[in-house]
Amino acid sequence: MDIKLDPSRDDLPLMANTSHILVKHYVLDLDVDFESQVIEGTIVLFLESGNRFKKRSSSTKVACPSESNEACKFRMPEPCQIPVTNTKTFSSKIGYNDFVICGKGEKDTSGKDGNHDNQEQASGISSSKYCCDTGNHGSEEFLLVLDCCDLSVLKVEEVDVAAVPGIEKFTRSPKLRNQIVHELMALPTDRWREQLDYYARCSQAPGCGELLFDTDTWSLQIRKTGAQTATDFPHAIRIRYRTKPQGRSVTWTSDQSGRPCVYTVGSPINNRALFPCQEPPVAMSTWQATVRAAASFVVLMSGENSAKPTQLQEGYSSWHYYVTMPMPASTFTIAVGSWTEMKPETCSSNDVATERSFSPSEAHFRYIGVCGHMEYPCRFQKSSASTQKIIPHRVFAPACLKGACQETLLPLIPPCLSAAHSVLGTHPFSRLDILIVPANFSSLGMASPHIVFLSQSTLTGMSQLCGTRLCHEIAHAWFGLAIGARDWTEEWLSEGFATHLEDVFWAKAQQLAPHEAQEQQELRACLRWRRLQDEVQNSPEEMQVLRPNKEKTGHVSDSGSSIIRHGLNPEKVFMQVHYLKGYFLLRFLAKRLGEDTYFSFLRKFVHTFHGQLILSQDFLQMLLENIPEEKRPELSVGNIFRDWLESSGIPQPLQRERQALAECGLAQQVSAEVAKWVRVNRRPRKRKRKDREEVFEKVRHRWCELIVKHKYTKAYRDVERFLQEDQAMGIYLYGELMLSEDPRQQHLARRCFELSREQMDRSSAEVVAEMLF
């Protein structure tokens, strides 16, 4: 299967040739410049090839930006043409003293600097005749293809790892650089700290030859003259590059206190506009990063360590993070801003002792069972981690939201973490940072290794919204991160599990009695059932399928490249069908097995598959093997695929269940309460402004929906405020305003959009613009 893109479609290409060569470790060394809105620096890639990457008889092709039928033409990078006045150079323990950073000042938006840029216009990707071989192609060189977009690549070179002092202990042939890299990557788990140290030293080694490179819309392609196979290609390369202010992987904005900040937004293109990388999930790697910014900023990142700043000259600070658990590059997250830190007021002695047990000393590793993943320092093999209910955690937010965080969020974290542990066991990650992101964040939350982003919308009202969303993101530590989908089209393996588990975690966090927990979960099921009905009625059928590739799920081309269908469709970001249908499938299975049996199995599944990538059949086959014979009638992998995963619309088993199910007691109480308030609201009465302000703060979204529904013009300012401050939830309100067909409400929607569109992420802006215009 070769990559052939149709520019008229909304598919996302994964271009990296991961079947030939894999990035096993990244070392990033970056400077964040808020004046020019650019992140600039270097990334060193440590690569691994194997027997399967050796010379092949046939070629594997990937598109490249040629304008003729000839083979791709690669150029040596031209010297940077930007004046180096006002240049800021920094050094740190992981820094580069011998590189000059091109001048920073005004925003770099032109891309016309004599370097290779990813162009916005379509390239020859869509034409099969414009191709370059990425495997072996006779007398030509091997081609390394990385996913890359919206970046200016300045220089690519091989790293002379043999020049690092002391490196000779890793090989008997110190002049064989690829052998050195191989031996470094092969160090046993109990030497991970030494391994990270030598990765850092190697990343600072001098270059030993520039490499040919070129870019197209979606990729960076690199060659070395004479290297015909992946085995011959350099296994340590350094790329100097800079991001662009309009790059889609990060957003430059202001926080709720008006201070500048930048953060990864969970873009459909993931991190390829932040650094060149291998995007396919199979390219699981570790990383370490040093990031420098003005001393007034805090740098947060996916990292096992709670980094502290190192003060540098000229009012700058350096932050260093690392990860030793191999993860897809798409899970890398960074946020830089003037955040205020909040910690729990008290920490139990048990928490303190357990946190100390996560020190780097190898003596603390006590193996308890065998893991099925590649070797890394795994928490599931630590007896101390298995009993740790609450992992160390911190909250960061703009100063103006400190009070709301301390009142609403901070008290919820320990019970939610403890509840998750009681259901699934060992926390996959050793610590957790939670950041309240700016108002332009288009979701209620996003989970990454060791860090969770939450929308400010979760802080309003009662603890229900904050607690349930926190539980959802905590659940992603197991499903979505520690256990990932091998094929990104199977999103339900992440979102369906997190949606199902959030109810279970939240009920335990509230310490509800069993009947209360059941009633609460039934009420939430009723609400989700109605939401799912609306979703399938108002979305394309082809986007309602949870396993769209069917028997081809998990398949890639010979090179490893693939396509994510509808991955660039802006509407897909806001669809909930994979959340809801996945949730109802898991709920159906839990009922069939019985709750106790199901969650006992789930712990077993987590222990078996953590640190690995899975497909739907991996979960279903193991589940069916654990179901007693008497509970298996009409339950098979094939039937589940047919009824739940490979069909659009409402699954038939769910239709039958909802038709037969009477409304639960709690839902009946809610219906009666609604009827009562409908009667009350028919009575004429005066409302003080203070009362309305209190209502607005507690139930902002529902209050605004009622304003729109009843055309309550006196409160339109509340709607305007909500649309600007709560963009994670406000996008749906734009639809309500336009569907009303009221000219005044439609004018309000368009005016709010004009005020907010510059701060909105691209997908949100496209969806809202389609509604309004």
Side-chain angles (χ1 to χ4, degrees):
M1 180 180 73
D2 293 338
I3 284 282
K4 295 180 182 178
L5 297 182
D6 179 354
S8 67
R9 292 184 62 88
D10 51 17
D11 300 329
L12 173 67
L14 303 180
M15 304 296 289
N17 54 338
T18 54
S19 294
H20 299 148
I21 194 166
L22 286 172
V23 179
K24 303 302 291 183
H25 189 76
Y26 297 93
V27 179
L28 296 98
D29 190 81
L30 303 173
D31 294 291
V32 179
D33 191 304
F34 281 94
E35 184 179 352
S36 60
Q37 295 191 349
V38 163
I39 298 174
E40 181 174 0
T42 62
I43 181 170
V44 176
L45 280 57
F46 294 87
L47 302 153
E48 179 182 67
S49 61
N51 292 333
R52 62 194 174 116
F53 308 140
K54 290 184 178 179
K55 208 166 186 176
R56 296 173 181 239
S57 58
S58 61
S59 300
T60 303
K61 295 180 181 291
V62 66
C64 85
S66 173
E67 295 184 359
S68 70
N69 292 355
E70 299 175 4
C72 293
K73 297 177 181 178
F74 284 72
R75 309 184 298 277
M76 290 300 292
E78 299 175 21
C80 181
Q81 301 298 321
I82 299 178
V84 292
T85 54
N86 297 323
T87 295
K88 301 169 186 172
T89 57
F90 309 104
S91 63
S92 69
K93 293 181 180 178
I94 314 295
Y96 300 89
N97 298 327
D98 54 336
F99 281 102
V100 176
I101 298 177
C102 293
K104 303 172 184 174
E106 297 182 1
K107 294 182 183 179
D108 172 21
T109 58
S110 67
K112 299 175 182 177
D113 55 5
N115 300 297
H116 299 242
D117 289 355
N118 289 105
Q119 300 300 317
E120 288 294 330
Q121 68 270 19
S123 70
I125 263 183
S126 61
S127 174
S128 60
K129 68 180 181 180
Y130 299 146
C131 295
C132 284
D133 293 351
T134 65
N136 171 264
H137 34 125
S139 60
E140 297 183 22
E141 289 87 16
F142 170 79
L143 181 66
L144 170 66
V145 181
L146 300 173
D147 294 294
C148 179
C149 179
D150 302 338
L151 293 177
S152 293
V153 179
L154 311 178
K155 181 180 181 181
V156 182
E157 64 181 346
E158 181 177 1
V159 178
D160 187 7
V161 295
V164 175
I167 201 71
E168 61 275 0
K169 68 181 179 179
F170 292 111
T171 177
R172 296 178 181 177
S173 304
K175 294 184 179 180
L176 299 178
R177 288 186 286 269
N178 284 4
Q179 182 65 25
I180 292 173
V181 174
H182 172 75
E183 295 294 337
L184 177 57
M185 291 189 295
L187 283 178
T189 296
D190 60 3
R191 295 175 65 184
W192 66 268
R193 177 167 288 277
E194 179 185 12
Q195 184 182 53
L196 286 178
D197 180 52
Y198 271 95
Y199 276 138
R201 295 188 191 189
C202 288
S203 72
Q204 300 174 70
C208 55
E210 294 193 27
L211 303 177
L212 302 164
F213 70 93
D214 210 345
T215 60
D216 62 27
T217 306
W218 291 111
S219 69
L220 167 64
Q221 304 133 26
I222 305 170
R223 300 181 184 274
K224 179 181 179 180
T225 302
Q228 296 186 25
T229 68
T231 304
D232 301 329
F233 189 81
H235 283 26
I237 64 171
R238 179 161 46 228
I239 303 169
R240 175 164 287 280
Y241 73 98
R242 67 164 67 99
T243 65
K244 297 181 180 181
Q246 71 274 21
R248 285 168 279 174
S249 292
V250 298
T251 186
W252 301 84
T253 185
S254 298
D255 66 20
Q256 294 84 341
S257 296
R259 301 291 300 274
C261 62
V262 61
Y263 67 101
T264 45
V265 290
S267 166
I269 69 165
N270 295 309
N271 285 322
R272 68 182 73 182
L274 177 59
F275 58 90
C277 58
Q278 291 182 327
E279 284 281 5
V282 295
M284 297 175 72
S285 59
T286 53
W287 58 76
Q288 60 197 102
T290 297
V291 178
R292 290 171 292 277
S296 59
F297 292 102
V298 174
V299 177
L300 300 177
M301 194 183 299
S302 313
E304 296 172 16
N305 58 312
S306 298
K308 299 297 181 183
T310 299
Q311 299 302 316
L312 306 174
Q313 71 277 15
E314 301 181 27
Y316 283 80
S317 297
S318 174
W319 302 71
H320 181 67
Y321 288 89
Y322 62 84
V323 164
T324 61
M325 175 181 177
M327 302 284 293
S330 59
T331 64
F332 180 95
T333 301
I334 186 172
V336 184
S338 301
W339 322 119
T340 298
E341 179 182 350
M342 286 151 277
K343 291 182 179 180
E345 291 184 5
T346 58
C347 187
S348 70
S349 58
N350 180 58
D351 288 340
V352 172
T354 311
E355 185 173 357
R356 280 201 300 268
S357 73
F358 298 142
S359 70
S361 172
E362 294 78 24
H364 292 288
F365 275 90
R366 294 182 61 187
Y367 293 91
I368 49 174
V370 178
C371 296
H373 52 69
M374 67 182 76
E375 192 177 7
Y376 67 85
C378 179
R379 283 176 53 81
F380 285 80
Q381 296 178 352
K382 280 182 166 185
S383 58
S384 57
S386 66
T387 60
Q388 187 185 27
K389 297 179 180 179
I390 303 170
I391 56 176
H393 52 276
R394 305 178 298 179
V395 172
F396 293 84
C400 64
L401 295 177
K402 181 177 179 179
C405 288
Q406 290 176 324
E407 179 182 352
T408 303
L409 174 58
L410 210 54
L412 291 175
I413 300 174
C416 290
L417 287 172
S418 181
H421 178 273
S422 70
V423 175
L424 295 180
T426 305
H427 287 281
F429 302 104
S430 59
R431 67 177 197 91
L432 177 65
D433 284 341
I434 299 175
L435 172 66
I436 303 299
V437 285
N440 69 337
F441 187 55
S442 62
S443 173
L444 286 176
M446 184 176 77
S448 300
H450 309 281
I451 185 169
V452 162
F453 290 173
L454 286 182
S455 164
Q456 67 174 32
S457 301
T458 62
L459 299 178
T460 58
M462 306 293 285
S463 61
Q464 285 285 334
L465 177 58
C466 188
T468 55
R469 194 66 205 190
L470 179 60
C471 286
H472 183 99
E473 303 307 334
I474 288 173
H476 276 311
W478 286 267
F479 291 95
L481 295 174
I483 301 174
R486 204 169 88 206
D487 188 317
W488 276 347
T489 62
E490 293 199 301
E491 296 172 75
W492 82 273
L493 288 171
S494 174
E495 299 300 350
F497 275 92
T499 304
H500 186 232
L501 287 167
E502 76 175 61
D503 290 359
V504 180
F505 291 178
W506 181 233
K508 287 185 175 292
Q510 294 173 286
Q511 298 182 334
L512 298 181
H515 74 279
E516 293 175 318
Q518 182 178 0
E519 285 195 335
Q520 185 182 85
Q521 290 168 20
E522 287 293 340
L523 176 60
R524 294 176 68 82
C526 289
L527 297 174
R528 290 185 178 120
W529 165 245
R530 295 184 181 183
R531 207 180 314 155
L532 179 59
Q533 289 177 303
D534 290 340
E535 180 111 336
V536 299
Q537 291 173 7
N538 297 286
S539 60
E541 286 191 5
E542 63 178 348
M543 296 178 68
Q544 299 172 15
V545 181
L546 301 191
R547 192 171 179 259
N549 293 335
K550 299 185 178 180
E551 68 278 359
K552 293 183 179 179
T553 301
H555 289 197
V556 297
S557 71
D558 289 343
S559 71
S561 59
S562 61
I563 290 173
I564 306 301
R565 297 296 178 193
H566 307 296
L568 295 175
N569 188 322
E571 294 184 13
K572 189 173 185 295
V573 177
F574 302 100
M575 290 188 63
Q576 299 184 54
V577 66
H578 44 283
Y579 291 74
L580 299 173
K581 289 177 73 171
Y583 156 79
F584 279 114
L585 169 57
L586 296 171
R587 196 168 183 270
F588 166 79
L589 293 172
K591 283 191 172 184
R592 178 66 71 93
L593 269 72
E595 297 283 333
D596 292 343
T597 302
Y598 173 78
F599 285 107
S600 176
F601 157 76
L602 205 58
R603 286 181 75 133
K604 180 179 178 181
F605 180 79
V606 165
H607 194 275
T608 302
F609 281 100
H610 69 273
Q612 300 174 68
L613 302 173
I614 64 169
L615 298 174
S616 295
Q617 54 262 42
D618 296 318
F619 170 73
L620 295 174
Q621 286 169 356
M622 184 172 174
L623 176 72
L624 295 177
E625 290 171 1
N626 285 265
I627 293 181
E629 288 290 340
E630 65 273 11
K631 295 184 178 181
R632 283 193 197 177
E634 300 181 6
L635 206 58
S636 67
V637 173
N639 289 346
I640 295 172
F641 278 172
R642 182 196 64 209
D643 295 339
W644 291 88
L645 303 183
E646 296 180 356
S647 59
S648 59
I650 304 290
Q652 286 299 317
L654 179 58
Q655 286 272 26
R656 293 192 293 267
E657 175 192 313
R658 300 312 300 183
Q659 290 169 359
L661 188 65
E663 197 172 54
C664 73
L666 191 55
Q668 292 174 351
Q669 291 180 39
V670 171
S671 298
E673 192 71 11
V674 170
K676 182 188 81 174
W677 282 105
V678 168
R679 293 193 301 270
V680 169
N681 285 336
R682 287 175 180 156
R683 302 172 188 168
R685 60 198 180 99
K686 294 183 179 180
R687 178 186 293 274
K688 296 181 181 179
R689 178 172 178 80
K690 182 179 179 182
D691 294 336
R692 198 178 80 225
E693 288 290 337
E694 291 177 355
V695 169
F696 180 64
E697 289 302 326
K698 291 182 178 180
V699 285
R700 296 157 72 97
H701 187 241
R702 184 59 185 146
W703 170 237
C704 289
E705 286 181 329
L706 293 172
I707 293 170
V708 173
K709 179 178 180 180
H710 297 285
K711 297 181 174 62
Y712 184 45
T713 57
K714 294 180 180 179
Y716 278 2
R717 288 184 64 85
D718 288 348
V719 175
E720 181 175 336
R721 176 180 161 194
F722 181 82
L723 288 174
Q724 293 183 60
E725 294 182 359
D726 291 84
Q727 293 181 29
M729 301 174 70
I731 190 167
Y732 302 102
L733 202 60
Y734 281 106
E736 299 294 328
L737 288 167
M738 298 307 293
L739 287 173
S740 71
E741 298 184 353
D742 178 83
R744 188 167 176 180
Q745 289 192 358
Q746 291 180 344
H747 174 72
L748 173 64
R750 293 188 178 101
R751 183 160 57 86
C752 290
F753 180 59
E754 290 303 320
L755 291 172
S756 306
R757 69 184 307 170
E758 291 300 319
Q759 295 293 321
M760 296 175 77
D761 71 275
R762 182 178 298 193
S763 294
S764 299
E766 289 179 8
V767 170
V768 175
E770 188 173 340
M771 291 181 192
L772 304 188
F773 305 107

